[in-house]
PDB file of all heavy atoms in Angstrom:
ATOM      1  N   GLU M 442     204.877  39.370 -61.792  1.00 84.00           N
ATOM      2  CA  GLU M 442     203.568  39.007 -62.344  1.00 84.00           C
ATOM      3  C   GLU M 442     203.728  38.151 -63.594  1.00 84.00           C
ATOM      4  O   GLU M 442     203.035  37.134 -63.760  1.00 84.00           O
ATOM      5  CB  GLU M 442     202.787  40.284 -62.658  1.00 84.00           C
ATOM      6  CG  GLU M 442     201.395  40.052 -63.188  1.00 84.00           C
ATOM      7  CD  GLU M 442     200.682  41.362 -63.481  1.00 84.00           C
ATOM      8  OE1 GLU M 442     200.515  42.159 -62.541  1.00 84.00           O
ATOM      9  OE2 GLU M 442     200.313  41.583 -64.648  1.00 84.00           O
ATOM     10  N   TYR M 443     204.662  38.526 -64.467  1.00 89.00           N
ATOM     11  CA  TYR M 443     204.905  37.748 -65.679  1.00 89.00           C
ATOM     12  C   TYR M 443     205.491  36.374 -65.345  1.00 89.00           C
ATOM     13  O   TYR M 443     205.168  35.376 -66.009  1.00 89.00           O
ATOM     14  CB  TYR M 443     205.841  38.506 -66.616  1.00 89.00           C
ATOM     15  CG  TYR M 443     205.209  39.726 -67.254  1.00 89.00           C
ATOM     16  CD1 TYR M 443     205.926  40.906 -67.429  1.00 89.00           C
ATOM     17  CD2 TYR M 443     203.886  39.703 -67.688  1.00 89.00           C
ATOM     18  CE1 TYR M 443     205.352  42.025 -68.018  1.00 89.00           C
ATOM     19  CE2 TYR M 443     203.296  40.816 -68.271  1.00 89.00           C
ATOM     20  CZ  TYR M 443     204.022  41.970 -68.427  1.00 89.00           C
ATOM     21  OH  TYR M 443     203.443  43.075 -69.008  1.00 89.00           O
ATOM     22  N   LEU M 444     206.349  36.321 -64.352  1.00 88.00           N
ATOM     23  CA  LEU M 444     206.922  35.031 -63.941  1.00 88.00           C
ATOM     24  C   LEU M 444     205.832  34.105 -63.392  1.00 88.00           C
ATOM     25  O   LEU M 444     205.829  32.899 -63.674  1.00 88.00           O
ATOM     26  CB  LEU M 444     208.019  35.245 -62.895  1.00 88.00           C
ATOM     27  CG  LEU M 444     209.307  35.901 -63.399  1.00 88.00           C
ATOM     28  CD1 LEU M 444     210.240  36.208 -62.232  1.00 88.00           C
ATOM     29  CD2 LEU M 444     210.012  35.002 -64.409  1.00 88.00           C
ATOM     30  N   LEU M 445     204.906  34.660 -62.607  1.00 84.00           N
ATOM     31  CA  LEU M 445     203.789  33.862 -62.103  1.00 84.00           C
ATOM     32  C   LEU M 445     202.936  33.344 -63.258  1.00 84.00           C
ATOM     33  O   LEU M 445     202.506  32.184 -63.259  1.00 84.00           O
ATOM     34  CB  LEU M 445     202.935  34.699 -61.150  1.00 84.00           C
ATOM     35  CG  LEU M 445     203.510  34.983 -59.765  1.00 84.00           C
ATOM     36  CD1 LEU M 445     202.632  35.990 -59.033  1.00 84.00           C
ATOM     37  CD2 LEU M 445     203.611  33.699 -58.959  1.00 84.00           C
ATOM     38  N   THR M 446     202.685  34.209 -64.232  1.00 87.00           N
ATOM     39  CA  THR M 446     201.909  33.797 -65.398  1.00 87.00           C
ATOM     40  C   THR M 446     202.620  32.672 -66.146  1.00 87.00           C
ATOM     41  O   THR M 446     201.981  31.710 -66.597  1.00 87.00           O
ATOM     42  CB  THR M 446     201.693  34.997 -66.339  1.00 87.00           C
ATOM     43  OG1 THR M 446     201.110  36.076 -65.606  1.00 87.00           O
ATOM     44  CG2 THR M 446     200.772  34.626 -67.488  1.00 87.00           C
ATOM     45  N   PHE M 447     203.952  32.776 -66.241  1.00 89.00           N
ATOM     46  CA  PHE M 447     204.718  31.717 -66.903  1.00 89.00           C
ATOM     47  C   PHE M 447     204.614  30.406 -66.137  1.00 89.00           C
ATOM     48  O   PHE M 447     204.496  29.326 -66.748  1.00 89.00           O
ATOM     49  CB  PHE M 447     206.184  32.135 -67.031  1.00 89.00           C
ATOM     50  CG  PHE M 447     207.084  31.016 -67.496  1.00 89.00           C
ATOM     51  CD1 PHE M 447     207.072  30.612 -68.825  1.00 89.00           C
ATOM     52  CD2 PHE M 447     207.909  30.365 -66.597  1.00 89.00           C
ATOM     53  CE1 PHE M 447     207.879  29.575 -69.247  1.00 89.00           C
ATOM     54  CE2 PHE M 447     208.727  29.329 -67.010  1.00 89.00           C
ATOM     55  CZ  PHE M 447     208.715  28.928 -68.344  1.00 89.00           C
ATOM     56  N   ILE M 448     204.669  30.465 -64.810  1.00 85.00           N
ATOM     57  CA  ILE M 448     204.551  29.238 -64.010  1.00 85.00           C
ATOM     58  C   ILE M 448     203.191  28.584 -64.239  1.00 85.00           C
ATOM     59  O   ILE M 448     203.083  27.357 -64.363  1.00 85.00           O
ATOM     60  CB  ILE M 448     204.768  29.555 -62.518  1.00 85.00           C
ATOM     61  CG1 ILE M 448     206.211  30.000 -62.267  1.00 85.00           C
ATOM     62  CG2 ILE M 448     204.458  28.341 -61.653  1.00 85.00           C
ATOM     63  CD1 ILE M 448     206.467  30.504 -60.854  1.00 85.00           C
ATOM     64  N   VAL M 449     202.146  29.400 -64.285  1.00 83.00           N
ATOM     65  CA  VAL M 449     200.801  28.866 -64.551  1.00 83.00           C
ATOM     66  C   VAL M 449     200.761  28.207 -65.924  1.00 83.00           C
ATOM     67  O   VAL M 449     200.231  27.099 -66.091  1.00 83.00           O
ATOM     68  CB  VAL M 449     199.746  29.984 -64.436  1.00 83.00           C
ATOM     69  CG1 VAL M 449     198.377  29.478 -64.881  1.00 83.00           C
ATOM     70  CG2 VAL M 449     199.671  30.496 -62.998  1.00 83.00           C
ATOM     71  N   TYR M 450     201.335  28.880 -66.922  1.00 87.00           N
ATOM     72  CA  TYR M 450     201.375  28.311 -68.278  1.00 87.00           C
ATOM     73  C   TYR M 450     202.110  26.974 -68.289  1.00 87.00           C
ATOM     74  O   TYR M 450     201.615  25.981 -68.839  1.00 87.00           O
ATOM     75  CB  TYR M 450     202.061  29.302 -69.220  1.00 87.00           C
ATOM     76  CG  TYR M 450     202.452  28.701 -70.552  1.00 87.00           C
ATOM     77  CD1 TYR M 450     201.501  28.474 -71.550  1.00 87.00           C
ATOM     78  CD2 TYR M 450     203.780  28.346 -70.814  1.00 87.00           C
ATOM     79  CE1 TYR M 450     201.856  27.910 -72.762  1.00 87.00           C
ATOM     80  CE2 TYR M 450     204.142  27.784 -72.020  1.00 87.00           C
ATOM     81  CZ  TYR M 450     203.177  27.566 -72.992  1.00 87.00           C
ATOM     82  OH  TYR M 450     203.538  26.998 -74.187  1.00 87.00           O
ATOM     83  N   SER M 451     203.290  26.956 -67.682  1.00 85.00           N
ATOM     84  CA  SER M 451     204.086  25.734 -67.641  1.00 85.00           C
ATOM     85  C   SER M 451     203.328  24.599 -66.951  1.00 85.00           C
ATOM     86  O   SER M 451     203.374  23.445 -67.389  1.00 85.00           O
ATOM     87  CB  SER M 451     205.404  26.014 -66.911  1.00 85.00           C
ATOM     88  OG  SER M 451     206.113  24.826 -66.678  1.00 85.00           O
ATOM     89  N   THR M 452     202.624  24.932 -65.891  1.00 80.00           N
ATOM     90  CA  THR M 452     201.876  23.925 -65.141  1.00 80.00           C
ATOM     91  C   THR M 452     200.766  23.306 -65.986  1.00 80.00           C
ATOM     92  O   THR M 452     200.590  22.084 -66.007  1.00 80.00           O
ATOM     93  CB  THR M 452     201.274  24.556 -63.877  1.00 80.00           C
ATOM     94  OG1 THR M 452     202.331  25.054 -63.055  1.00 80.00           O
ATOM     95  CG2 THR M 452     200.462  23.537 -63.096  1.00 80.00           C
ATOM     96  N   PHE M 453     200.032  24.137 -66.700  1.00 81.00           N
ATOM     97  CA  PHE M 453     198.892  23.619 -67.462  1.00 81.00           C
ATOM     98  C   PHE M 453     199.319  22.964 -68.771  1.00 81.00           C
ATOM     99  O   PHE M 453     198.592  22.129 -69.305  1.00 81.00           O
ATOM    100  CB  PHE M 453     197.876  24.741 -67.706  1.00 81.00           C
ATOM    101  CG  PHE M 453     196.982  24.978 -66.531  1.00 81.00           C
ATOM    102  CD1 PHE M 453     197.354  25.841 -65.516  1.00 81.00           C
ATOM    103  CD2 PHE M 453     195.771  24.310 -66.415  1.00 81.00           C
ATOM    104  CE1 PHE M 453     196.541  26.051 -64.421  1.00 81.00           C
ATOM    105  CE2 PHE M 453     194.953  24.511 -65.322  1.00 81.00           C
ATOM    106  CZ  PHE M 453     195.339  25.380 -64.316  1.00 81.00           C
ATOM    107  N   VAL M 454     200.490  23.307 -69.289  1.00 82.00           N
ATOM    108  CA  VAL M 454     201.019  22.573 -70.435  1.00 82.00           C
ATOM    109  C   VAL M 454     201.324  21.135 -70.031  1.00 82.00           C
ATOM    110  O   VAL M 454     201.074  20.183 -70.788  1.00 82.00           O
ATOM    111  CB  VAL M 454     202.285  23.258 -70.989  1.00 82.00           C
ATOM    112  CG1 VAL M 454     203.036  22.323 -71.935  1.00 82.00           C
ATOM    113  CG2 VAL M 454     201.918  24.529 -71.731  1.00 82.00           C
ATOM    114  N   ARG M 455     201.852  20.967 -68.815  1.00 75.00           N
ATOM    115  CA  ARG M 455     202.248  19.636 -68.351  1.00 75.00           C
ATOM    116  C   ARG M 455     201.126  18.901 -67.617  1.00 75.00           C
ATOM    117  O   ARG M 455     201.357  17.838 -67.043  1.00 75.00           O
ATOM    118  CB  ARG M 455     203.467  19.765 -67.432  1.00 75.00           C
ATOM    119  CG  ARG M 455     204.701  20.256 -68.173  1.00 75.00           C
ATOM    120  CD  ARG M 455     205.912  20.433 -67.293  1.00 75.00           C
ATOM    121  NE  ARG M 455     205.803  21.613 -66.429  1.00 75.00           N
ATOM    122  CZ  ARG M 455     205.843  21.565 -65.112  1.00 75.00           C
ATOM    123  NH1 ARG M 455     205.950  20.408 -64.483  1.00 75.00           N
ATOM    124  NH2 ARG M 455     205.756  22.675 -64.412  1.00 75.00           N
ATOM    125  N   LEU M 456     199.922  19.466 -67.608  1.00 69.00           N
ATOM    126  CA  LEU M 456     198.784  18.824 -66.948  1.00 69.00           C
ATOM    127  C   LEU M 456     198.274  17.674 -67.814  1.00 69.00           C
ATOM    128  O   LEU M 456     197.864  17.882 -68.957  1.00 69.00           O
ATOM    129  CB  LEU M 456     197.671  19.851 -66.711  1.00 69.00           C
ATOM    130  CG  LEU M 456     196.402  19.335 -66.018  1.00 69.00           C
ATOM    131  CD1 LEU M 456     196.708  18.858 -64.612  1.00 69.00           C
ATOM    132  CD2 LEU M 456     195.346  20.437 -65.976  1.00 69.00           C
ATOM    133  N   ASP M 457     198.272  16.473 -67.269  1.00 63.00           N
ATOM    134  CA  ASP M 457     197.893  15.279 -68.031  1.00 63.00           C
ATOM    135  C   ASP M 457     196.491  14.793 -67.705  1.00 63.00           C
ATOM    136  O   ASP M 457     196.112  13.684 -68.072  1.00 63.00           O
ATOM    137  CB  ASP M 457     198.887  14.143 -67.758  1.00 63.00           C
ATOM    138  CG  ASP M 457     200.289  14.491 -68.257  1.00 63.00           C
ATOM    139  OD1 ASP M 457     200.387  15.195 -69.278  1.00 63.00           O
ATOM    140  OD2 ASP M 457     201.265  14.075 -67.615  1.00 63.00           O
ATOM    141  N   VAL M 458     195.698  15.581 -66.988  1.00 62.00           N
ATOM    142  CA  VAL M 458     194.373  15.152 -66.564  1.00 62.00           C
ATOM    143  C   VAL M 458     193.331  16.036 -67.231  1.00 62.00           C
ATOM    144  O   VAL M 458     193.472  17.268 -67.264  1.00 62.00           O
ATOM    145  CB  VAL M 458     194.231  15.239 -65.028  1.00 62.00           C
ATOM    146  CG1 VAL M 458     192.837  14.810 -64.595  1.00 62.00           C
ATOM    147  CG2 VAL M 458     195.277  14.368 -64.353  1.00 62.00           C
ATOM    148  N   ASP M 459     192.303  15.413 -67.777  1.00 64.00           N
ATOM    149  CA  ASP M 459     191.204  16.182 -68.354  1.00 64.00           C
ATOM    150  C   ASP M 459     190.353  16.791 -67.240  1.00 64.00           C
ATOM    151  O   ASP M 459     190.137  16.165 -66.196  1.00 64.00           O
ATOM    152  CB  ASP M 459     190.323  15.283 -69.234  1.00 64.00           C
ATOM    153  CG  ASP M 459     191.058  14.854 -70.494  1.00 64.00           C
ATOM    154  OD1 ASP M 459     191.921  15.622 -70.952  1.00 64.00           O
ATOM    155  OD2 ASP M 459     190.771  13.746 -70.991  1.00 64.00           O
ATOM    156  N   VAL M 460     189.861  18.000 -67.461  1.00 68.00           N
ATOM    157  CA  VAL M 460     189.082  18.725 -66.464  1.00 68.00           C
ATOM    158  C   VAL M 460     187.618  18.744 -66.886  1.00 68.00           C
ATOM    159  O   VAL M 460     187.311  19.117 -68.026  1.00 68.00           O
ATOM    160  CB  VAL M 460     189.612  20.166 -66.290  1.00 68.00           C
ATOM    161  CG1 VAL M 460     188.871  20.868 -65.166  1.00 68.00           C
ATOM    162  CG2 VAL M 460     191.099  20.152 -66.038  1.00 68.00           C
ATOM    163  N   ASP M 461     186.749  18.355 -65.978  1.00 75.00           N
ATOM    164  CA  ASP M 461     185.313  18.406 -66.237  1.00 75.00           C
ATOM    165  C   ASP M 461     184.837  19.840 -66.020  1.00 75.00           C
ATOM    166  O   ASP M 461     185.062  20.437 -64.961  1.00 75.00           O
ATOM    167  CB  ASP M 461     184.587  17.443 -65.298  1.00 75.00           C
ATOM    168  CG  ASP M 461     183.109  17.322 -65.642  1.00 75.00           C
ATOM    169  OD1 ASP M 461     182.645  18.068 -66.526  1.00 75.00           O
ATOM    170  OD2 ASP M 461     182.417  16.499 -65.011  1.00 75.00           O
ATOM    171  N   ALA M 462     184.167  20.414 -67.024  1.00 78.00           N
ATOM    172  CA  ALA M 462     183.712  21.808 -66.927  1.00 78.00           C
ATOM    173  C   ALA M 462     182.745  21.994 -65.773  1.00 78.00           C
ATOM    174  O   ALA M 462     182.771  23.025 -65.086  1.00 78.00           O
ATOM    175  CB  ALA M 462     183.059  22.233 -68.242  1.00 78.00           C
ATOM    176  N   ALA M 463     181.889  21.008 -65.514  1.00 83.00           N
ATOM    177  CA  ALA M 463     180.937  21.121 -64.409  1.00 83.00           C
ATOM    178  C   ALA M 463     181.662  21.205 -63.077  1.00 83.00           C
ATOM    179  O   ALA M 463     181.267  21.970 -62.188  1.00 83.00           O
ATOM    180  CB  ALA M 463     179.987  19.913 -64.417  1.00 83.00           C
ATOM    181  N   ASP M 464     182.747  20.421 -62.932  1.00 85.00           N
ATOM    182  CA  ASP M 464     183.551  20.489 -61.705  1.00 85.00           C
ATOM    183  C   ASP M 464     184.154  21.872 -61.524  1.00 85.00           C
ATOM    184  O   ASP M 464     184.201  22.410 -60.404  1.00 85.00           O
ATOM    185  CB  ASP M 464     184.671  19.441 -61.759  1.00 85.00           C
ATOM    186  CG  ASP M 464     184.251  18.118 -61.139  1.00 85.00           C
ATOM    187  OD1 ASP M 464     183.074  18.023 -60.738  1.00 85.00           O
ATOM    188  OD2 ASP M 464     185.082  17.206 -61.072  1.00 85.00           O
ATOM    189  N   VAL M 465     184.636  22.464 -62.610  1.00 86.00           N
ATOM    190  CA  VAL M 465     185.266  23.776 -62.529  1.00 86.00           C
ATOM    191  C   VAL M 465     184.259  24.838 -62.106  1.00 86.00           C
ATOM    192  O   VAL M 465     184.535  25.665 -61.221  1.00 86.00           O
ATOM    193  CB  VAL M 465     185.911  24.146 -63.877  1.00 86.00           C
ATOM    194  CG1 VAL M 465     186.439  25.577 -63.838  1.00 86.00           C
ATOM    195  CG2 VAL M 465     187.049  23.192 -64.206  1.00 86.00           C
ATOM    196  N   PHE M 466     183.077  24.842 -62.706  1.00 90.00           N
ATOM    197  CA  PHE M 466     182.059  25.823 -62.342  1.00 90.00           C
ATOM    198  C   PHE M 466     181.583  25.630 -60.907  1.00 90.00           C
ATOM    199  O   PHE M 466     181.320  26.601 -60.185  1.00 90.00           O
ATOM    200  CB  PHE M 466     180.880  25.744 -63.311  1.00 90.00           C
ATOM    201  CG  PHE M 466     181.157  26.363 -64.647  1.00 90.00           C
ATOM    202  CD1 PHE M 466     181.187  25.594 -65.794  1.00 90.00           C
ATOM    203  CD2 PHE M 466     181.416  27.722 -64.758  1.00 90.00           C
ATOM    204  CE1 PHE M 466     181.460  26.163 -67.028  1.00 90.00           C
ATOM    205  CE2 PHE M 466     181.682  28.305 -65.986  1.00 90.00           C
ATOM    206  CZ  PHE M 466     181.710  27.519 -67.127  1.00 90.00           C
TER     207      PHE M 466
END
Side-chain angles (χ1 to χ4, degrees):
E442 182 180 300
Y443 290 141
L444 290 173
L445 286 172
T446 306
F447 171 75
I448 293 173
V449 173
Y450 166 77
S451 171
T452 299
F453 279 87
V454 165
R455 294 178 287 121
L456 180 63
D457 296 327
V458 179
D459 291 331
V460 185
D461 187 354
D464 269 3
V465 174
F466 284 115

